[in-house]
Coordinates of all heavy atoms in Angstrom, one line a residue:
R7 N -1.7 -3.0 -8.9 CA -2.4 -4.3 -9.2 C -2.7 -5.1 -7.9 O -1.8 -5.2 -7.1 CB -1.6 -5.1 -10.2 CG -1.3 -4.3 -11.5 CD -0.6 -5.2 -12.5 NE -1.5 -6.2 -13.1 CZ -1.2 -7.0 -14.0 NH1 0.0 -7.0 -14.5 NH2 -2.1 -7.9 -14.5
P8 N -3.9 -5.6 -7.8 CA -4.3 -6.3 -6.6 C -3.5 -7.7 -6.5 O -3.1 -8.2 -7.5 CB -5.8 -6.6 -6.7 CG -6.0 -6.5 -8.2 CD -5.0 -5.5 -8.7
D9 N -3.3 -8.1 -5.3 CA -2.6 -9.4 -5.0 C -1.2 -9.4 -5.6 O -0.7 -10.5 -5.9 CB -3.4 -10.6 -5.5 CG -4.8 -10.6 -5.0 OD1 -5.0 -10.4 -3.8 OD2 -5.8 -10.9 -5.7
S10 N -0.6 -8.2 -5.6 CA 0.8 -8.2 -6.2 C 1.8 -8.0 -5.0 O 1.4 -7.8 -3.9 CB 0.9 -6.9 -7.1 OG 0.7 -5.7 -6.3
A11 N 3.1 -8.2 -5.3 CA 4.1 -8.1 -4.3 C 4.1 -6.6 -3.8 O 4.4 -6.4 -2.6 CB 5.5 -8.4 -4.9
F12 N 3.8 -5.7 -4.7 CA 3.8 -4.3 -4.3 C 2.6 -4.0 -3.3 O 2.7 -3.1 -2.5 CB 3.8 -3.3 -5.5 CG 4.6 -2.1 -5.2 CD1 5.9 -2.0 -5.6 CD2 4.0 -1.0 -4.6 CE1 6.7 -0.9 -5.3 CE2 4.8 0.1 -4.3 CZ 6.1 0.2 -4.7
E13 N 1.5 -4.7 -3.5 CA 0.4 -4.5 -2.5 C 0.9 -5.0 -1.1 O 0.7 -4.3 -0.1 CB -0.8 -5.3 -2.9 CG -2.0 -5.1 -1.9 CD -3.3 -5.8 -2.3 OE1 -3.2 -6.6 -3.2 OE2 -4.3 -5.6 -1.7
S14 N 1.5 -6.1 -1.1 CA 2.1 -6.6 0.2 C 3.1 -5.6 0.8 O 3.1 -5.4 2.0 CB 2.7 -8.0 0.0 OG 1.8 -8.9 -0.5
F15 N 3.9 -5.1 -0.1 CA 4.9 -4.1 0.4 C 4.2 -2.9 1.0 O 4.6 -2.4 2.0 CB 5.8 -3.8 -0.8 CG 6.9 -2.7 -0.4 CD1 8.0 -3.0 0.2 CD2 6.7 -1.4 -0.8 CE1 9.0 -2.1 0.5 CE2 7.6 -0.4 -0.5 CZ 8.8 -0.8 0.2
S16 N 3.2 -2.4 0.2 CA 2.5 -1.2 0.7 C 1.8 -1.4 2.0 O 1.8 -0.6 2.9 CB 1.5 -0.8 -0.4 OG 2.1 -0.5 -1.6
N17 N 1.2 -2.6 2.1 CA 0.5 -2.9 3.4 C 1.5 -3.0 4.6 O 1.2 -2.6 5.7 CB -0.2 -4.3 3.3 CG -1.4 -4.1 2.3 OD1 -1.9 -3.0 2.1 ND2 -1.9 -5.3 1.8
S18 N 2.7 -3.6 4.3 CA 3.7 -3.7 5.4 C 4.1 -2.3 5.8 O 4.6 -2.1 7.0 CB 4.9 -4.5 4.9 OG 5.7 -3.7 4.0
R19 N 4.0 -1.3 5.0 CA 4.4 0.1 5.3 C 3.2 0.9 5.8 O 3.3 2.1 6.1 CB 5.1 0.8 4.1 CG 6.3 0.1 3.6 CD 7.4 0.1 4.7 NE 8.7 -0.3 4.1 CZ 9.2 -1.5 3.9 NH1 8.4 -2.5 4.1 NH2 10.4 -1.7 3.5
R20 N 2.0 0.3 5.8 CA 0.8 0.9 6.2 C 0.5 2.1 5.3 O 0.0 3.1 5.7 CB 0.8 1.4 7.7 CG 0.9 0.2 8.6 CD 0.9 0.6 10.1 NE 1.0 -0.6 10.9 CZ 0.9 -0.5 12.3 NH1 0.8 0.7 12.9 NH2 1.0 -1.6 13.0
W21 N 0.8 1.9 4.0 CA 0.4 2.9 3.0 C -1.0 2.6 2.4 O -1.3 1.4 2.3 CB 1.4 3.0 1.9 CG 2.8 3.4 2.3 CD1 3.1 4.1 3.4 CD2 4.0 3.1 1.6 NE1 4.5 4.3 3.4 CE2 5.1 3.7 2.4 CE3 4.3 2.4 0.5 CZ2 6.4 3.7 2.0 CZ3 5.7 2.4 0.1 CH2 6.7 3.0 0.8
D22 N -1.8 3.6 2.1 CA -3.1 3.3 1.6 C -2.9 2.7 0.2 O -2.2 3.3 -0.7 CB -3.9 4.6 1.5 CG -4.2 5.2 2.8 OD1 -4.2 4.4 3.8 OD2 -4.6 6.4 2.9
F23 N -3.6 1.6 -0.1 CA -3.4 0.9 -1.3 C -4.8 0.7 -2.0 O -5.8 0.3 -1.3 CB -2.8 -0.5 -1.1 CG -2.5 -1.2 -2.4 CD1 -1.3 -1.1 -3.1 CD2 -3.5 -2.0 -3.0 CE1 -1.0 -1.7 -4.3 CE2 -3.2 -2.7 -4.2 CZ -2.0 -2.5 -4.8
Y24 N -4.9 1.1 -3.2 CA -6.2 1.1 -4.0 C -6.0 0.1 -5.2 O -5.2 0.4 -6.1 CB -6.6 2.5 -4.4 CG -6.8 3.4 -3.2 CD1 -5.7 4.1 -2.8 CD2 -8.0 3.5 -2.5 CE1 -5.9 5.0 -1.7 CE2 -8.2 4.3 -1.4 CZ -7.1 5.0 -1.0 OH -7.2 5.8 0.1
P25 N -6.7 -1.0 -5.2 CA -6.5 -2.0 -6.3 C -6.9 -1.4 -7.6 O -8.0 -0.8 -7.8 CB -7.4 -3.2 -5.9 CG -8.3 -2.6 -4.9 CD -7.7 -1.5 -4.2
L26 N -6.1 -1.6 -8.6 CA -6.3 -1.1 -10.0 C -5.8 -2.2 -10.9 O -4.6 -2.4 -11.0 CB -5.6 0.2 -10.2 CG -6.1 1.2 -11.3 CD1 -7.5 1.7 -10.9 CD2 -5.2 2.4 -11.4
K27 N -6.7 -3.0 -11.5 CA -6.2 -4.2 -12.2 C -5.3 -3.9 -13.4 O -4.4 -4.7 -13.6 CB -7.5 -5.0 -12.7 CG -8.2 -5.6 -11.6 CD -9.4 -6.5 -12.1 CE -10.1 -7.2 -10.9 NZ -11.2 -8.0 -11.4
M28 N -5.5 -2.8 -14.1 CA -4.6 -2.5 -15.3 C -4.2 -3.7 -16.1 O -3.1 -4.0 -16.2 CB -3.3 -1.8 -14.7 CG -3.6 -0.5 -14.1 SD -2.1 0.5 -13.7 CE -1.5 -0.4 -12.3
K29 N -5.2 -4.4 -16.7 CA -5.0 -5.6 -17.4 C -4.1 -5.3 -18.6 O -3.3 -6.2 -19.1 CB -6.3 -6.2 -17.9 CG -7.2 -6.7 -16.7 CD -8.5 -7.3 -17.2 CE -9.3 -7.8 -16.1 NZ -10.7 -8.3 -16.6
N30 N -4.2 -4.1 -19.2 CA -3.4 -3.7 -20.3 C -3.5 -2.1 -20.4 O -4.1 -1.5 -19.5 CB -3.8 -4.3 -21.6 CG -5.3 -4.2 -21.8 OD1 -5.9 -3.1 -21.7 ND2 -6.0 -5.3 -22.2
S31 N -2.8 -1.6 -21.4 CA -2.8 -0.1 -21.5 C -4.1 0.5 -21.9 O -4.2 1.8 -21.9 CB -1.7 0.3 -22.5 OG -0.4 -0.1 -22.0
I32 N -5.1 -0.3 -22.3 CA -6.4 0.2 -22.8 C -7.5 -0.4 -21.9 O -8.6 -0.7 -22.4 CB -6.6 0.0 -24.3 CG1 -6.4 -1.5 -24.6 CG2 -5.7 0.9 -25.1 CD1 -6.8 -1.8 -26.0
D33 N -7.2 -0.5 -20.6 CA -8.2 -1.0 -19.7 C -9.1 0.2 -19.3 O -8.8 0.9 -18.3 CB -7.5 -1.6 -18.5 CG -8.5 -2.3 -17.5 OD1 -9.7 -2.0 -17.6 OD2 -8.0 -3.1 -16.7
F34 N -10.2 0.3 -19.9 CA -11.1 1.5 -19.7 C -11.7 1.4 -18.3 O -11.9 2.5 -17.6 CB -12.2 1.6 -20.7 CG -11.7 2.1 -22.0 CD1 -11.2 1.3 -23.0 CD2 -11.7 3.5 -22.3 CE1 -10.8 1.8 -24.2 CE2 -11.3 4.0 -23.5 CZ -10.8 3.2 -24.5
R35 N -12.0 0.2 -17.8 CA -12.5 0.1 -16.4 C -11.6 0.6 -15.4 O -11.9 1.4 -14.5 CB -12.9 -1.4 -16.2 CG -13.5 -1.6 -14.8 CD -14.0 -3.0 -14.6 NE -15.2 -3.2 -15.5 CZ -15.8 -4.4 -15.5 NH1 -15.5 -5.4 -14.7 NH2 -16.9 -4.5 -16.4
S36 N -10.3 0.3 -15.5 CA -9.3 0.8 -14.6 C -9.1 2.3 -14.7 O -8.9 3.0 -13.7 CB -7.9 0.1 -14.8 OG -8.0 -1.3 -14.5
A37 N -9.2 2.8 -16.0 CA -9.1 4.2 -16.2 C -10.3 5.0 -15.5 O -10.1 6.0 -14.9 CB -9.1 4.5 -17.7
G38 N -11.5 4.4 -15.6 CA -12.6 5.0 -14.9 C -12.4 5.0 -13.4 O -12.8 6.0 -12.7
R39 N -11.9 3.9 -12.9 CA -11.7 3.8 -11.5 C -10.7 4.8 -11.0 O -10.8 5.4 -10.0 CB -11.3 2.4 -11.1 CG -10.9 2.2 -9.6 CD -10.9 0.8 -9.1 NE -10.3 0.7 -7.8 CZ -10.7 1.1 -6.7 NH1 -11.9 1.7 -6.6 NH2 -10.1 0.9 -5.5
L40 N -9.6 5.0 -11.8 CA -8.6 6.0 -11.5 C -9.2 7.4 -11.4 O -8.9 8.2 -10.5 CB -7.4 5.9 -12.5 CG -6.3 7.0 -12.3 CD1 -5.6 6.8 -11.0 CD2 -5.3 6.9 -13.4
K41 N -10.0 7.7 -12.4 CA -10.7 9.0 -12.4 C -11.5 9.2 -11.1 O -11.4 10.3 -10.5 CB -11.6 9.1 -13.6 CG -12.4 10.4 -13.7 CD -13.4 10.4 -14.8 CE -14.3 11.7 -14.8 NZ -15.3 11.7 -15.9
N42 N -12.2 8.2 -10.7 CA -13.1 8.3 -9.5 C -12.2 8.4 -8.3 O -12.5 9.2 -7.4 CB -14.0 7.0 -9.4 CG -15.1 7.0 -10.5 OD1 -15.4 8.1 -11.0 ND2 -15.5 5.8 -10.8
L43 N -11.1 7.7 -8.2 CA -10.2 7.7 -7.1 C -9.6 9.2 -6.9 O -9.5 9.7 -5.8 CB -9.1 6.7 -7.2 CG -9.4 5.3 -6.9 CD1 -8.2 4.4 -7.3 CD2 -9.7 5.1 -5.4
C44 N -9.2 9.7 -8.1 CA -8.7 11.1 -8.0 C -9.7 12.1 -7.5 O -9.3 13.0 -6.7 CB -8.2 11.5 -9.4 SG -6.7 10.6 -10.0
K45 N -10.9 11.9 -7.9 CA -12.0 12.8 -7.4 C -12.3 12.6 -5.9 O -12.3 13.5 -5.1 CB -13.2 12.6 -8.2 CG -14.4 13.6 -7.9 CD -15.6 13.4 -8.8 CE -16.7 14.4 -8.4 NZ -17.9 14.2 -9.3
Q46 N -12.5 11.3 -5.5 CA -12.8 11.0 -4.2 C -11.7 11.4 -3.2 O -12.0 11.9 -2.1 CB -13.2 9.5 -4.0 CG -14.4 9.1 -4.8 CD -14.5 7.6 -5.0 OE1 -13.7 6.8 -4.3 NE2 -15.4 7.1 -5.8
L47 N -10.5 11.1 -3.5 CA -9.3 11.3 -2.6 C -8.7 12.7 -2.8 O -7.7 13.0 -2.1 CB -8.3 10.2 -2.9 CG -8.8 8.8 -2.7 CD1 -7.8 7.8 -3.1 CD2 -9.2 8.5 -1.2
E48 N -9.2 13.5 -3.7 CA -8.7 14.8 -4.0 C -7.2 14.8 -4.3 O -6.3 15.5 -3.8 CB -8.9 15.8 -2.9 CG -10.4 16.0 -2.6 CD -10.7 16.9 -1.5 OE1 -9.8 17.1 -0.6 OE2 -11.8 17.5 -1.4
I49 N -6.8 13.9 -5.3 CA -5.4 13.7 -5.7 C -4.9 14.9 -6.5 O -5.6 15.4 -7.3 CB -5.3 12.4 -6.5 CG1 -5.8 11.1 -5.7 CG2 -3.9 12.2 -7.0 CD1 -4.9 10.9 -4.5
D50 N -3.7 15.3 -6.1 CA -3.2 16.5 -6.8 C -2.3 16.0 -8.0 O -2.2 16.7 -9.0 CB -2.3 17.3 -5.9 CG -3.1 17.9 -4.8 OD1 -4.0 18.7 -5.1 OD2 -2.8 17.6 -3.6

């Protein structure tokens, strides 16, 4: 989730962070973004 404590933590460790709003468990926009991220970044 963007602007979260975990984003700050990830940035402090220089880990790649990709914002995913995940407003709820049926957030189709976030699900579509996750699908695109997996394809673009070749996530295993």
Side-chain angles (χ1 to χ4, degrees):
R7 301 186 74 178
D9 303 318
S10 62
F12 215 92
E13 179 178 12
S14 300
F15 177 80
S16 300
N17 291 338
S18 73
R19 300 300 193 275
R20 297 185 179 179
W21 297 337
D22 294 343
F23 186 91
Y24 300 91
L26 206 63
K27 288 186 178 179
M28 295 189 288
K29 293 179 179 178
N30 50 50
S31 297
I32 53 172
D33 185 341
F34 283 91
R35 181 171 292 182
S36 291
R39 174 160 167 74
L40 177 61
K41 177 186 174 183
N42 292 335
L43 283 172
C44 288
K45 183 177 180 180
Q46 293 165 10
L47 301 171
E48 299 181 336
I49 299 298
D50 295 300

